[in-house]
Amino acid sequence: MIDREGRVVFGSLLVFVVAVAGSIVVEQQTGVALRDRPLLAFLVFAGIAVALPQLYLAITETGPHSRSRLRFAAVATAVFAVAFADDASGARYLLIAAIGTGSILGVLCYEALEGYRAVSDEVTFDLRDR
């Protein structure tokens, strides 16, 4: 029996395989290949296969694993952005780079906010005792 996490990851990989198979059919019918569109390939590969299942699991579960899932999704998105931006040029390059940079900046802001909340929860100010 596959656990919930396995089903989510397997489902996203199945959607990825169907998307790639669909792109192959579109390529044979129209001549437009997925590899010729680096922004679309980045969104399909990094988004559907890697980031989407991790973000879904981070949102739906509680505990320490949700933070590590967010970190993994952000770092993986940034790594794939570097890889896919190499094939892009112009505005597509900037957009892919902005997505990768935004994912890292987003996780840094999230971690800073969580750290601030943890510290502010420990410190309480009670002015009535004076």
Side-chain angles (χ1 to χ4, degrees):
M1 185 71 121
I2 299 175
D3 62 339
R4 181 175 174 275
E5 178 182 351
R7 287 190 307 245
V8 169
V9 171
F10 180 73
S12 71
L13 290 177
L14 183 63
V15 170
F16 172 72
V17 168
V18 168
V20 170
S23 74
I24 291 171
V25 170
V26 168
E27 179 182 0
Q28 290 178 352
Q29 296 295 323
T30 63
V32 177
L34 183 63
R35 67 181 168 272
D36 295 337
R37 309 274 190 238
L39 179 61
L40 184 60
F42 168 70
L43 292 176
V44 167
F45 187 74
I48 293 175
V50 178
L52 193 64
Q54 296 301 320
L55 293 175
Y56 173 76
L57 288 170
I59 290 170
T60 58
E61 68 183 22
T62 59
H65 294 297
S66 64
R67 286 180 71 180
S68 63
R69 290 187 189 283
L70 288 174
R71 285 186 220 126
F72 175 77
V75 171
T77 301
V79 168
F80 286 123
V82 169
F84 280 92
D86 186 43
D87 293 337
S89 62
R92 291 181 188 97
Y93 173 82
L94 290 175
L95 189 56
I96 293 172
I99 292 170
T101 305
S103 69
I104 294 296
L105 289 176
V107 81
L108 286 175
C109 291
Y110 173 77
E111 290 293 329
L113 183 63
E114 286 297 314
Y116 173 76
R117 285 182 182 165
V119 170
S120 66
D121 287 344
E122 293 175 3
V123 177
T124 58
F125 295 103
D126 192 10
L127 299 176
R128 291 178 283 159
D129 290 339
R130 293 186 176 197

